[in-house]
Amino acid sequence: MARERVSQAEEWQAWAQRYDVEGGLRTFESGLTLKVFLGAVFIGLLMMPGSIYLTLVAGQSGAGAAPWVAVILFTELARRSFTTARRQELYILLGLTGAAVGSGIHYRAYPFVWYAYFINTPQAESYEIADKIPYWVAPAKDAVAIAERSLLHMDWFWPLAIFLVMKLLAEVRYISASYFLFRLTADLERLPYPLAPIQAQGATALAETTGQGETWRWRVFSIGSMAGLFWGFFYIGIPSLTGVMMSTPIEILKIPFIDFTPSIESFAPSGMFALWTDFGLILQGFVLPFPIIMSEFASAMFTQFVLNPRILYPLEILHQWRPGLDMRGVKLFNDLDFWLSFNMGKSFSFAAVGLAASIPIMLSMKQSQQQQAGTRGSLQTPPGRGDFPIWLMGGLWVLSMIVYVWIVHRMVPNFPVSFLLGFAFLYTPLHSYINARTFGVLGRPLFVLPYIHQATFILSRYEEIDIWFVHLPDEDYGAGTQHWRVLELTGTTFTSDVLGRALMVPLLIVATIVVWHFIWKIAPIPSSQYPFAQTWWPLYATDEALWKTSLRDGNSQMLQAIRGDYVSAGFTSSLAIYGILWAAKLPSMWFYGIVGGIGQDPGMMIPRVIGALIGRFYMIKQFGLKRWFMYNPVLAAGFTCGVGLVGMGTVAIALVSKAVIVKPF
Amino acid sequence: MEKLAYALIFIGAILWVFSIIFMGARWQPQMLAAAILTVGIILAHVWEELFREKK
C-alpha cells in the first residue's frame, strides 16, 4: 500500500501542538510587577558581585542556579505572606535575575579590566600590540586610571561611552530581530521549539506551589529536583569537593567523557567514539522528538564506523589521521581535512530548505489572512499576547544596525565599509535565520562559519590592528527566538518582558561597571587574591596576542582548511537527502536528524538515545503519550534546578576553602 | 507540479552522485546539482502549500 504523504505543514503543526502541553489555550498576563522588579534588582545586585568575584577566584560563578534560587525564595516569601505568585511573574523574575547575576561574569563581557591588564603584558609588548590598542578600547598603558586601578576616571571616558552606546543598541537589535524571527518560525511556520516547554513548565510548577492545592506539576518537579540533586552531587559535587581536599579529585565517572577512540582504531581507523558521561542528557532525550534523536544517532554511527574509515580514509581525504590519536586529535585532524568544510556546506542547506519552505507560505499569505492564530501559514497573533507590529520591529532592527555600522565605521574609518554592510545585512540575517530554524526544530544552533573574521580581514587587505578590537556586526539572534516561545507558553505578555528588560539593562550596565571597579580596587587583577585569573589570564593574553597577529603574513592554517569542493559536497548532499526524503514521503524531521548527525561523535548522543528509548517504549506506555509530554518538560526543569543547586553549593564550599589561609607552621 | 518536483529532485541527486564519482567532485557540477535540487524542493513546497491543500 502506498504511503500517504503527510505535508510538512501537517507534520510541524502536530509537533507544535504536542509541545504545547496546555493545548494552546491560555490567557496572557503581565509578568512585570513592582515586587518582581524590586526582587530581581535586590537578588541580582546582591549576587552579581559574588558571581564576578567567584569567577576571578575559582573560575565558576554559580550563576546558572541563582535564578532558580531567586524564584524558590520568592515563592517561599509568597507562601509565608499568604499570597500567590503567578507563573508570569516567576518567569519574568527568572529572566531578570539570570540577566543580573550573569552580567559581567565573563572577563570579555565587560573588558575594561582585561584590557588594562593586557596593554601592560609582556605578550602585548613583544608582539608590538601594546602601543596600537585604540583609545576607545583602553587608555594608554601609563594612564593614571590604570595605575590607580580605577574605572571611575576620565581616562575611561571613550571606552565607557562607546561601550554604553553599543550595549544599548545591541539590546534593541536583539529584541527586535529575535521577535521578527520568532514570528516567522513560530507563528508562520509553526516550528515546535521542543526545549521551550522546559523553562515554561519550571516556572509554572513553582507558581502552583503558592496556590491552594498541590498539583501534579509540583510532584513531578520535586521528583526531577531530587534526581538532579543526586546526580549533581555524584557528577559535580564529589569531584569538586574532593578537589578542594586532594591534589587529584575523585571522579566516579570520568568527566566529561570516556574516550574509546584508540580502542576502535583497529577496525574503524579515523573514526572517533567518546562516551559522554553526563547522563543528565537522558532528560533531553525524553523531551526532544524521537525521530530526530534516532536518525541523528544512526547518521553519526554511519559517519564514524563506515564513512570515515571505509571511504574518506582509504581515499586519503582524511590524510592526517595516524594510529594512537585520542578523540580530540582525531576530531582536530578530521575537521581540518574534511569535516570543517563539509559542515559549513550542510549548514547552508538549512537556510536553503528553510527558504524553500517559507517562500510558498509567503505566497499563500493572502489566503492565510483569514486563518486563525496558531495555524501554520498565518501571521495572526493570539489576542492579548502583547505583540508588536512586525514592520516596526524589522524597522527598529534596520535602524539600530545602520547606527551601529556607522559607529563602527567611525571607529575604523579605513576598513572597507562594504564588509561591514555585508556582515550586517547579509551574513547576520542568514546566520540568525538558520539558527532560529534549528532552535525551532532541534533546540540548538547548528550554523557555524569558522574563521569568518580572519577571512574577512584577509580579503579586505586591511592591515591595521584596530579592527581586531571592534565588535563586527555579525550576530546571531536565533537563540533569542526560543525566549519568545517560552513567554507564549507561560502566558506572559511580550510587552511586560520588553519593559522589564528596558528597565533592567541600563541599571545592570552601570552596576556591573561599578562592581568591576570595586573588585579591581581590592587588588590587582590578576594577582594572588584572584588565583583563577592569575593562572589563566597570562595564557589568555598569549592567545589574544597570537590571534591578533596571526594574519600579518596573510596566512592561516585554519583558512587553508576550507575547501570549496567539500563545502559543495556538504551543501548538495544535504539537499539531496532532503529531496529524497520528500520524494519517499518520509517525515522532514528525519532530515534534521540525519544531517545534524553527519560528522558527529555518536558517543555524545548515547545518553539522549537512552532517554528517547525509555520515553518511547516505557514511559509513553506507562503514562500515555499526552500525559508523558506534559510530565517530561516539568521533570527536566526540576532536574536542571537540582543540578544547579548542587553546583552553587559546591562553588560556595570551594570559595570558603580558598579563603582559608593554611600556615606552614 | 508534483511530478516535476520529483523529476528535478531525482535529476539533482543523480547528477550529484555522478559529479562525485566521475567528475572528480569538482564544486561546479556539484553546485549545478544543488541548484536543480533547490528548484525541485521549492516546487515541492509550492505544490504542498498552494495546490495540494486546495485539491
Side-chain angles (χ1 to χ4, degrees):
Chain A
M1 204 176 85
R3 184 194 296 270
E4 195 184 340
R5 176 178 295 285
V6 178
S7 73
Q8 201 183 63
E10 292 155 354
E11 187 189 345
W12 290 135
Q13 186 81 29
W15 279 102
Q17 281 169 357
R18 193 178 286 188
Y19 283 107
D20 192 349
V21 292
E22 284 158 16
L25 298 171
R26 62 179 66 83
T27 51
F28 291 91
E29 290 177 41
S30 167
L32 186 69
T33 54
L34 185 64
K35 64 183 175 187
V36 166
F37 184 70
L38 292 179
V41 170
F42 176 71
I43 294 169
L45 297 189
L46 197 74
M47 289 184 173
M48 186 226 289
S51 62
I52 294 175
Y53 185 77
L54 273 174
T55 312
L56 293 167
V57 170
Q60 296 179 47
S61 68
W68 289 106
V69 174
V71 166
I72 291 168
L73 197 67
F74 195 81
T75 49
E76 283 305 314
L77 278 172
R79 283 164 67 147
R80 301 288 176 270
S81 318
F82 301 105
T83 181
T84 55
R86 291 177 292 118
R87 64 177 173 176
Q88 290 88 350
E89 289 179 317
L90 293 190
Y91 184 62
I92 292 286
L93 185 69
L94 262 179
L96 293 183
T97 320
V101 179
S103 176
I105 53 171
H106 195 266
Y107 72 103
R108 288 276 185 196
Y110 285 73
F112 312 109
V113 176
W114 161 253
Y115 279 124
Y117 159 71
F118 180 69
I119 202 168
N120 280 307
T121 55
Q123 291 93 323
E125 202 64 55
S126 61
Y127 282 85
E128 297 168 15
I129 302 172
D131 56 343
K132 295 186 180 70
I133 294 178
Y135 69 92
W136 35 262
V137 171
K141 57 184 179 179
D142 52 356
V144 179
I146 292 180
E148 289 181 356
R149 300 201 310 271
S150 170
L151 286 180
L152 308 178
H153 191 282
M154 276 309 284
D155 285 350
W156 285 102
F157 175 78
W158 280 112
L160 286 173
I162 299 259
F163 179 83
L164 196 67
V165 173
M166 293 299 220
K167 203 85 178 162
L168 292 175
L169 279 174
E171 197 67 19
V172 173
R173 284 196 310 279
Y174 196 79
I175 290 174
S176 54
S178 62
Y179 174 81
F180 188 89
L181 290 169
F182 164 78
R183 296 292 305 278
L184 290 186
T185 52
D187 283 353
L188 190 68
E189 279 201 80
R190 302 300 299 161
L191 299 187
Y193 283 93
L195 295 187
I198 294 178
Q199 285 173 297
Q201 292 298 319
T204 307
L206 284 167
E208 285 182 354
T209 61
T210 65
Q212 293 296 318
E214 200 176 70
T215 66
W216 66 267
R217 274 197 187 83
W218 181 238
R219 282 201 304 278
V220 176
F221 188 85
S222 305
I223 293 168
S225 303
M226 288 312 295
L229 284 171
F230 277 117
W231 175 251
F233 179 74
F234 179 77
Y235 193 65
I236 305 167
I238 292 175
S240 304
L241 294 176
T242 52
V244 168
M245 295 175 277
M246 304 173 188
S247 56
T248 312
I250 296 171
E251 289 178 5
I252 295 169
L253 268 178
K254 199 164 160 37
I255 300 173
F257 52 72
I258 304 167
D259 193 358
F260 290 104
T261 303
S263 315
I264 66 165
E265 69 181 28
S266 57
F267 60 94
S270 77
M272 63 179 176
F273 191 93
L275 176 66
W276 286 65
T277 50
D278 183 2
F279 282 89
L281 294 171
I282 286 177
L283 278 100
Q284 272 196 15
F286 287 164
V287 181
L288 285 167
F290 185 77
I292 284 189
I293 292 179
M294 297 315 290
S295 52
E296 198 173 38
F297 180 64
S299 106
M301 288 290 283
F302 176 76
T303 304
Q304 302 305 339
F305 290 97
V306 179
L307 197 56
N308 277 357
R310 303 274 165 256
I311 299 171
L312 299 176
Y313 178 63
L315 288 172
E316 295 185 0
I317 291 171
L318 302 178
H319 56 88
Q320 295 192 72
W321 181 85
R322 58 181 186 275
L325 288 173
D326 65 0
M327 178 261 195
R328 281 168 291 201
V330 172
K331 185 170 166 43
L332 177 71
F333 287 138
N334 288 358
D335 279 355
L336 288 173
D337 287 346
F338 180 75
W339 288 108
L340 194 69
S341 306
F342 187 92
N343 288 339
M344 277 170 68
K346 88 177 188 192
S347 301
F348 287 129
S349 78
F350 285 107
V353 164
L355 289 172
S358 306
I359 289 168
I361 301 176
M362 305 270 187
L363 291 174
S364 65
M365 280 286 284
K366 203 171 177 183
Q367 70 191 57
S368 305
Q369 296 289 326
Q370 289 93 37
Q371 286 182 16
Q372 60 172 1
T375 314
R376 191 176 196 259
S378 168
L379 270 175
Q380 295 286 319
T381 55
R385 197 173 66 174
D387 279 276
F388 311 96
I390 199 163
W391 60 265
L392 176 72
M393 294 309 247
L396 261 179
W397 178 79
V398 172
L399 190 68
S400 54
M401 193 53 118
I402 289 171
V403 176
Y404 180 48
V405 170
W406 179 76
I407 294 174
V408 171
H409 178 57
R410 292 293 304 268
M411 289 158 76
V412 280
N414 297 322
F415 186 73
V417 77
S418 55
F419 284 93
L420 298 179
L421 291 171
F423 267 121
F425 297 106
L426 290 176
Y427 177 75
T428 293
L430 180 75
H431 183 183
S432 301
Y433 178 62
I434 294 170
N435 279 344
R437 282 185 60 79
T438 58
F439 258 99
V441 182
L442 302 170
R444 64 189 160 96
L446 266 191
F447 185 81
V448 184
L449 210 52
Y451 310 108
I452 182 129
H453 289 181
Q454 289 85 331
T456 310
F457 300 156
I458 285 180
L459 286 173
S460 69
R461 300 177 189 281
Y462 186 79
E463 289 176 354
E464 298 298 319
I465 208 128
D466 57 0
I467 190 66
W468 285 94
F469 295 93
V470 172
H471 175 60
L472 289 171
D474 62 325
E475 296 178 330
D476 174 18
Y477 314 116
T481 53
Q482 183 162 287
H483 172 69
W484 298 100
R485 178 67 177 154
V486 181
L487 285 174
E488 185 180 35
L489 292 175
T490 51
T492 310
T493 54
F494 291 180
T495 40
S496 64
D497 178 67
V498 172
L499 184 63
R501 284 202 251 179
L503 291 171
M504 197 72 170
V505 167
L507 192 69
L508 279 182
I509 294 173
V510 176
T512 310
I513 290 169
V514 173
V515 167
W516 267 104
H517 166 82
F518 282 113
I519 289 179
W520 197 21
K521 274 282 179 194
I522 294 172
I525 306 173
S527 67
S528 58
Q529 292 283 315
Y530 304 106
F532 184 84
Q534 191 177 30
T535 309
W536 289 100
W537 279 30
L539 296 175
Y540 297 159
T542 308
D543 201 39
E544 177 140 357
L546 278 170
W547 267 114
K548 285 182 171 30
T549 53
S550 62
L551 300 175
R552 273 189 181 157
D553 55 355
N555 265 322
S556 165
Q557 192 193 1
M558 294 295 187
L559 277 179
Q560 285 165 4
I562 296 169
R563 287 187 47 169
D565 46 354
Y566 297 163
V567 176
S568 310
F571 182 58
T572 316
S573 61
S574 304
L575 288 179
I577 289 169
Y578 186 85
I580 289 166
L581 288 174
W582 180 84
K585 301 178 183 174
L586 291 168
S588 63
M589 278 280 179
W590 286 27
F591 164 72
Y592 291 94
I594 292 170
V595 175
I598 292 178
Q600 304 295 318
D601 172 15
M604 68 184 290
M605 298 169 190
I606 283 181
R608 284 210 303 256
V609 171
I610 293 171
L613 292 172
I614 294 172
R616 171 87 171 208
F617 296 108
Y618 181 75
M619 296 297 192
I620 290 177
K621 280 187 185 153
Q622 196 75 14
F623 298 107
L625 181 75
K626 191 163 185 247
R627 206 194 289 177
W628 175 236
F629 267 77
M630 287 164 79
Y631 283 177
N632 64 32
V634 183
L635 198 67
F639 189 85
T640 312
C641 179
V643 172
L645 290 175
V646 170
M648 200 166 176
T650 50
V651 166
I653 293 168
L655 181 69
V656 170
S657 81
K658 283 178 200 306
V660 175
I661 301 165
V662 181
K663 302 272 186 197
F665 47 85
Chain B
M1 188 177 277
E2 185 192 7
K3 287 196 169 48
L4 184 59
Y6 270 115
L8 287 173
I9 285 167
F10 278 113
I11 291 168
I14 288 165
L15 177 59
W16 178 68
V17 174
F18 190 82
S19 73
I20 292 290
I21 298 173
F22 299 107
M23 299 168 86
R26 283 185 294 128
W27 69 268
Q28 296 93 332
Q30 288 198 64
M31 290 312 286
L32 177 67
I36 296 170
L37 279 164
T38 307
V39 176
I41 291 167
I42 290 174
L43 277 181
H45 281 288
V46 168
W47 172 75
E48 265 191 8
E49 288 287 335
L50 299 175
F51 295 96
R52 181 172 178 262
E53 283 174 357
K54 271 183 189 170
K55 191 170 73 178

